[in-house]
Structures are given as C-alpha cells and as structure tokens.
Amino acid sequence: MTPVIATIQRMATVVACFGLLTSLGPSRPLQAQTFGNEAWVNCSYNGRNLRCRRSFLCNSAPCGRFQLTWSDGISDTYTLISTTTRTSSIYRDPRGGEWNLLSYAGSFVLRNPANGNTIIFDGSQHDCSKVWKLGSICG
C-alpha cells in the first residue's frame, strides 16, 4: 500500500469516527437552547397591541431566561435576577435594563421602572388595568 493510499484510509477512518461521535451527541457542555416556543398570543408594548410569543432559553424547566419575539420581527431576551414573591420577579435585558415581572393567571406584565416601558404578555393594557385590575404596573 502506498503512503498516499494509507493516508487517505486514515483520514476516512477519522472522518467516520467523527461522524459517529457527533451522532451520539455533543462532546462539549450543552449551551442554552430554546425548548419551549409557545404559540403566538396577543400582547402589548406601551399600549400598542401586537402579537408575540415566548421561548424559554435553557435545557429544562424551571427556566431563568426567556425570549420575547414580536410579530414585527423584533425580539429581546430577559434573564432572571431575583424572585421577590411567588408571582413577581426581577429580570434584566441585554442592555442592562431591569424589569419587574408580575404574573397573573398565565399572563404577565414586564415593567421597566427606569423608563416606564411596559410589556403585557397574553393580554392588552385594557385587560391588565380593567379586567385583571393590576393597577399602575399596567402602564
């Protein structure tokens, strides 16, 4: 067997082994992955109604990171900083903004006290203030 053919055979063996290893799973720690794309729902950003959906960004629940994607293509990620009560937490966006999250019957409100921006997930500003009666957090 010539050295060229032997080298080609060794390379083919390495490629085959690499293919087998990658098919068995990753060789490095798992990175955060989306595991829960939810359905599109009615949402509100500063009183503007727009559809959005939430995607959890971790390998399993409970999850301290999620992404909101808006129907116009904009998205942002929120990372849990602390939990204050069973229904409220504080999250941070990638720009350092802090958001108070208040959950209500599967829906939630994110309010940034520094700039007054308000996001209502799975509801409208009317739902938040008139139906859920959550008061000033509704924007």
Side-chain angles (χ1 to χ4, degrees):
M1 181 179 321
T2 67
V4 172
I5 293 174
T7 301
I8 291 171
Q9 285 180 334
R10 276 194 299 274
M11 288 174 61
T13 301
V14 168
V15 168
C17 287
F18 178 76
L20 176 62
L21 287 174
T22 57
S23 70
L24 293 175
S27 60
R28 59 186 177 354
L30 289 175
Q31 295 177 353
Q33 298 175 357
T34 300
F35 79 88
N37 269 345
E38 295 181 355
W40 292 96
V41 296
N42 293 324
C43 297
S44 173
Y45 182 83
N46 291 339
R48 178 179 173 222
N49 293 329
L50 194 64
R51 296 188 52 82
C52 75
R53 74 174 174 192
R54 174 176 54 184
S55 303
F56 291 105
L57 301 175
C58 54
N59 295 320
S60 62
C63 188
R65 282 185 76 217
F66 67 90
Q67 180 178 49
L68 282 182
T69 303
W70 298 90
S71 58
D72 64 1
I74 306 273
S75 67
D76 222 337
T77 301
Y78 301 88
T79 303
L80 180 66
I81 298 172
S82 65
T83 300
T84 52
T85 69
R86 192 171 57 92
T87 59
S88 63
S89 306
I90 300 173
Y91 282 80
R92 181 171 290 134
D93 67 31
R95 292 165 302 287
E98 292 191 5
W99 297 77
N100 297 323
L101 183 141
L102 179 62
S103 62
Y104 179 81
S107 301
F108 63 83
V109 179
L110 279 168
R111 176 114 171 127
N112 184 325
N115 61 21
N117 288 338
T118 304
I119 297 169
I120 300 168
F121 177 81
D122 200 11
S124 66
Q125 192 170 22
H126 176 266
D127 293 331
C128 185
S129 60
K130 304 292 185 204
V131 179
W132 306 337
K133 300 182 189 220
L134 296 180
S136 63
I137 194 167
C138 300

